[in-house]
Amino acid sequence: MARRLAGFLVLLLVVSICEAAFLFQPISDSHRSAALELFTPDHGSFKSLEETYEALRTFQILGIEKKPDLTATACRSISETVGSSSSTAKDLFYALKANSIAECKIDKKASKGIISRLNAAVSGASSLLDFYYSVGGLVLIKDQSSEADVHLADAEGVFRSVKAFSQSDGRWRYSSSNPESSAFAAGIALETLAGIVSLASSEIDQSLISTLKNDIIKLFDSIEKYDDGALYFDDKLVDGHEYQGPLSTTSSVLRGLTAFAAVTAENLNVRDTMLGLAKFFLGICVPGDAKDFFNQIDSLACLESNRVSIPLILSFPSTVLSLTRKDSLKVGVSTVLGSEVPSLTVKLVGAFSSGSKDASLVESQELNFDKASGLHILNDLPKSIDVGSYTFVFEVVLHEPEHEEVYFMGSQTKVPISVTGLIKVENSEIAVLDSDLGSIESQKKLDLAGKNAISLSANHLQKLRLSFQLTTPHGRSFKPHQAFLKLRHESKVEHIFVVGNSGKQFEIVLNFLGLVEKFFYLSGKYDMELTIGDAAMENSLLVAIGHIELDLPEAPEKAPRPPPQPVDPYSRYGPKAEITHIFRAPEKRPPQELSLAFLGLTILPLLGFLIGLLRLGVNLKNFPTKPVPATFAVLFHVGIGAVLLLYVFFWVKLDLFQTLKLLGFLGVFLVFVGHRILSHLAAASAKLKSA
Amino acid sequence: MGRTSSTKEDAGALFHSLRSAYAATPVNLKIIDLYVGFAIFTALIQVVYMAMVGSFPFNSFLSGVLSCVGTAVLAGKSNFLSPLFAKDLPPERAFADFVLCNLVLHLVIMNFLG
């Protein structure tokens, strides 16, 4: 995991170093190290044959030494797939592809078995991918096995079936049931058709192959363009499942195109397109994904060794030249993979100042070829090229005319070049002038390169004048991007003024009479600071000049206040004032002894009642003696006691619902018992009365 | 002179006659009178307490006073002990009525007591 992270960081660093648009670097060692980082097998082998093939092919193209254990594991999985009878056409296809690089031996019996299985797959194929894998497998096995007896039955029929999937806009469908068409599928189809032609070229009608040329031209109508001249193919994102992305789509189309060009003698006028495609692939720099990396490298290899045209690209070690260091302009010419090119000359045909449509600043001249470094060098920049940014226009002329057929350069290449240098700052002085007469009250010379501690004073009737001259190394006038004078008051209120120029002379005059309101009527000490800066200026400066005491009149009533200075923006997130909660003062309670005394007093009447009852002669003579009524009587009294106890509990602990529930039970019991005893008593007294 | 003394004598004679008449009432009624008196007296003590300390838990005061007054009223209305009033309602029925009403009253009181 840490290794992957380190690899990712390396890739990030490499990508960040890579140049921006308009400039394309050929494949270099940074690609090789990135490839080694990306294509690392898990525990010695890759997840699938497809990935094994991609890794092997990438290493082969980049010229990285194959590791023997990688080849061994690849051979193992290849022979496993080849020997197994349950492998699909897709597995066989990728196994054979990997084998074309790993070069493991496949025995005769196995190859016979493969051929028969692939033939069966071809006759049973119904979708584009079926045809692709089976036909592609047959092409591969024909190259690899010593048995040259690979025969494609009914080649014309197969050709027509594949062609049946094509659409009128040059795209292809995957199968008859799927209406989605894509350029990615078009590339696959072209490869398949090229494979069919290579297997059985004599059997196929030439007119069919010619119609294919029209399909390719229609497909190329849908090519898309970036501003820097890169061309690419992209499909519409209809279904995320099938969408491949511009890189995969473009490389698929390119593979198909180069395969087709290799088997036919048709002349496809796609040289400009190949150069644009080369720019697209190189513009990606170093991809971060293994699949993207493979697509890029494989496509560049197709561009490098195809029959249509081999694009050449210009590369620049540096596009920023310093006049101080006396840098010379260096240009490299190579193929996309960084290989050698035939002898040629690079000519600088023009240089234009950025944004200007004037005539070229330089004459057409040839660059010298330095054999040692392999670069074309312009030793001395012409005097007309001063500090600034330019667009240089280059042309490449090949020495041998027959190479013109093979290599393609494009007509002219425009490259933005920046030239930097030291700007001379001279004759800088600052003065305080009297407003009406323009006479100088005090004048001081400034040394803008060193330290300054000028001290001036002025009132609102006077003016401040600052002036200096800027000259380029070649003696021309120079207008920098930034030329500001900043005045900062003691209370941190700032005012910034732009210094204007006429030719080389830069001057600013601050008329304090008009600026009084802008300065918010603040008198006092103002610090002065001058900023001169530009991208092409190697000695940009930000220098404190000194300070000026300004005496401004009093602010009238309605004058604008100076804007509040920003406080520390995080201070408002600090803690706020603390709030103390004020509780309601509790009610005054009586002293506890008083309450207890009255509790006792309340019991007193009850005692009085009981004593009174005794004095009256209350008795229990009517209490039933017979056992059944006696129990009922006892239960009745117990029931009443239980209800009263329930009420005590209700007050202390229970809530109303629980109480009512229990009261329900007790009540029913009490009513039943009470009814029994009272009816018994009633019967007894009625008997007594009647008797 | 004779007038005031006669008033005093009259008051004393009235008081004596009341007392003797009361002694003649049946015991049952005296029990009920005693019960009612006890209940009222308890209520009075609560009112005195409230007057002394303020009516802060007013609900408690109310429930206490009303329970006493309520039970007194119930005792007064029910006539279970006196054969004099037992013409249309048997005394046992009246007693059951009294017990039931008291229980309901005390449930409400306990709820209100808080």
Side-chain angles (χ1 to χ4, degrees), chain A residues 587 589-590 594-595 598 601-602 605-606 609 612-613 616 618 636 640 643 647 650-651 656 660 663 670 678 682, chain B residues 27 30-31 34-35 38 41-42 45 48-49 52-53 56-57 92 95-96 99 103-104 106-107 110-111 113-114:
Chain A
E587 296 277 341
R589 305 308 299 266
L594 186 64
S595 304
F598 264 88
L601 270 181
T602 318
L606 181 65
F609 175 64
L613 280 181
L616 281 174
V618 159
F636 180 64
I640 293 183
V643 171
Y647 287 170
F650 173 42
W651 184 44
L656 187 61
L660 284 177
L663 192 61
L670 198 61
L678 287 171
Chain B
V27 176
K30 277 197 199 148
I31 294 174
L34 193 61
Y35 184 73
F38 138 69
F41 197 46
T42 313
I45 291 183
V48 164
Y49 179 65
M52 281 177 64
V53 301
F56 163 53
E92 284 75 24
F95 178 64
V99 166
L103 289 180
V104 171
H106 280 88
L107 176 69
M110 290 310 245
N111 196 19
L113 198 59

Side-chain angles (χ1 to χ4, degrees), chain A residues 545-565:
Chain A
I545 297 173
H547 62 263
I548 177 168
E549 285 283 341
L550 269 186
D551 185 18
L552 301 174
E554 285 293 319
E557 288 274 318
K558 294 260 175 58
R561 310 285 322 143
Q565 291 310 299

Side-chain angles (χ1 to χ4, degrees), chain A residues 432-449:
Chain A
V432 175
L433 310 172
D434 273 327
S435 177
D436 297 338
L437 305 168
S439 66
I440 298 172
E441 197 208 290
S442 56
Q443 185 173 22
K444 303 249 167 78
K445 277 222 176 301
L446 293 173
D447 174 21
L448 287 176

Side-chain angles (χ1 to χ4, degrees), chain A residues 110-296:
Chain A
S111 41
K112 274 207 174 61
I114 293 171
I115 293 170
S116 60
R117 263 189 285 166
L118 287 173
N119 271 321
V122 169
S123 31
S126 58
S127 79
L128 179 63
L129 287 172
D130 293 337
F131 280 114
Y132 174 60
Y133 294 131
S134 43
V135 171
L138 285 173
V139 171
L140 288 164
I141 193 91
K142 181 173 174 181
D143 291 331
Q144 286 170 29
S145 75
S146 45
E147 317 246 323
D149 192 16
V150 179
H151 182 67
L152 184 63
D154 188 21
E156 189 156 323
V158 177
F159 193 98
R160 281 188 202 279
S161 333
V162 176
K163 188 107 174 40
F165 291 124
S166 70
Q167 303 285 86
S168 54
D169 61 352
R171 293 195 153 94
W172 246 262
R173 292 206 318 267
Y174 281 106
S175 68
S176 36
S177 53
N178 188 357
E180 303 294 330
S181 67
S182 65
F184 183 82
I188 290 180
L190 287 173
E191 255 188 274
T192 315
L193 291 169
I196 297 171
V197 171
S198 75
L199 282 173
S201 54
S202 52
E203 292 178 24
I204 300 185
D205 197 1
Q206 281 303 312
S207 58
L208 281 174
I209 303 178
S210 314
T211 52
L212 209 49
K213 181 178 162 190
N214 295 333
D215 286 327
I216 293 178
I217 292 173
K218 269 184 280 188
L219 179 65
F220 274 54
D221 282 341
S222 68
I223 207 166
E224 299 184 42
K225 205 171 134 72
Y226 282 138
D227 286 339
D228 58 0
L231 300 170
Y232 65 100
F233 292 94
D234 197 8
D235 290 319
K236 286 201 222 336
L237 178 58
V238 176
D239 176 6
H241 203 52
E242 296 282 348
Y243 180 66
Q244 296 289 339
L247 177 55
S248 301
T249 311
T250 314
S251 55
S252 163
V253 172
L254 183 61
R255 271 196 281 270
L257 178 69
T258 46
F260 185 70
V263 297
T264 69
E266 302 276 345
N267 182 20
L268 305 154
N269 292 327
V270 287
R271 285 159 63 103
D272 289 329
T273 321
M274 304 286 258
L275 186 62
L277 291 173
K279 285 186 183 167
F280 171 71
F281 287 114
L282 287 174
I284 297 171
C285 290
V286 181
D289 184 48
K291 186 112 186 141
D292 290 341
F293 199 95
F294 164 72
N295 276 327
Q296 184 200 38

Side-chain angles (χ1 to χ4, degrees), chain A residues 384-412:
Chain A
S384 51
I385 302 291
D386 210 338
V387 169
S389 45
Y390 300 90
T391 308
F392 280 26
V393 184
F394 294 93
E395 240 181 54
V396 172
V397 176
L398 291 160
H399 289 167
E400 311 276 333
E402 59 258 20
H403 287 149
E404 303 249 336
E405 294 291 311
V406 182
Y407 294 98
F408 184 68
M409 192 45 242
S411 49
Q412 284 182 344

